[in-house]
Amino acid sequence: MQKNIKMLLFIIPTLIILGLVFIYWYNYYLTNKEEQEKIKIDEYNFEQLEKVKSVLNSLDKNSYSFDNIWDFNKQFNINIEPIKNCYYLSNKNWWEKYIFWFKLESNKYIDKYWTKSYIYPKYDIVKEEICLWMPDLDWSKWKGCWDGNRDLFERIISNPCEDD
């Protein structure tokens, strides 16, 4: 009887430890595999940005006009194509020559840039403050304010592209 108890005291902790090691390994493998896929998406997006930069950085801002990636592709005969979510690409951005914006997918790049989206050269768009409240000005029904322009752009980069 005492021999069986000693055997159980050995087998049960061993099985628990093996189970925990398996769970840790399985979660690490899945997380690592998913993260690697997300890193590939981000690196692809940075490659697309480099294509845009190689074309536009040498040109005068007034020599071209485009509202989105389809206009850009047609005008410059380049195939900028997102593989997950859409890009915001336009040169109608007030002070900048153009803006290229995409959503970051991987923790590696989110941690590196401290944001969930990458904007090149920078977010320099006029803030369109939208505030909602009820007409009777009952402040308990205040809905708050947000930047309408940024909201539109974040919706674009968070969803697959729709043809214009």
Side-chain angles (χ1 to χ4, degrees):
M1 175 90 164
Q2 196 171 15
K3 188 176 181 182
N4 290 341
I5 292 174
K6 284 183 181 180
M7 184 70 94
L8 285 175
L9 289 176
F10 174 77
I11 291 175
I12 290 174
T14 304
L15 290 175
I16 290 172
I17 290 171
L18 287 174
L20 290 173
V21 167
F22 175 76
I23 289 169
Y24 174 79
W25 174 83
Y26 184 76
N27 286 337
Y28 174 79
Y29 177 77
L30 282 182
T31 303
N32 197 29
K33 185 177 176 183
E34 289 171 10
E35 179 68 7
Q36 292 303 316
E37 290 300 315
K38 290 178 180 180
I39 289 170
K40 287 179 187 176
I41 292 170
D42 287 343
E43 289 173 349
Y44 175 84
N45 290 337
F46 282 109
E47 289 171 13
Q48 298 304 294
L49 169 60
E50 289 304 315
K51 286 183 187 178
V52 171
K53 286 166 60 174
S54 69
V55 170
L56 295 179
N57 282 346
S58 62
L59 298 175
D60 177 42
K61 179 181 179 175
N62 299 320
S63 67
Y64 55 86
S65 176
F66 55 89
D67 289 318
N68 52 46
I69 60 173
W70 299 282
D71 288 347
F72 178 84
N73 285 340
K74 275 189 230 172
Q75 188 168 349
F76 295 102
N77 198 24
I78 295 179
N79 189 23
I80 303 299
E81 188 175 326
I83 57 175
K84 185 169 182 184
N85 293 322
C86 205
Y87 302 134
Y88 178 81
L89 175 59
S90 176
N91 76 321
K92 297 179 179 172
N93 300 299
W94 298 274
W95 300 280
E96 297 296 332
K97 284 178 74 170
Y98 63 93
I99 187 169
F100 187 89
W101 191 346
F102 60 90
K103 182 177 178 185
L104 294 172
E105 300 293 331
S106 67
N107 291 329
K108 173 184 175 180
Y109 287 104
I110 290 171
D111 293 345
K112 180 178 181 177
Y113 295 109
W114 295 14
T115 184
K116 292 187 177 189
S117 59
Y118 187 82
I119 305 164
Y120 182 86
K122 61 185 176 186
Y123 181 71
D124 201 9
I125 296 175
V126 175
K127 185 175 182 178
E128 181 185 344
E129 190 168 278
I130 299 173
C131 299
L132 292 178
W133 64 88
M134 296 311 199
D136 61 1
L137 295 180
D138 178 1
W139 293 106
S140 67
K141 297 179 182 175
W142 175 252
K143 303 295 183 194
C145 297
W146 66 91
D147 182 351
N149 279 337
R150 187 174 183 103
D151 185 57
L152 169 70
F153 303 136
E154 286 180 353
R155 228 175 312 128
I156 290 170
I157 66 167
S158 297
N159 294 292
C161 292
E162 296 176 5
D163 289 335
D164 253 2

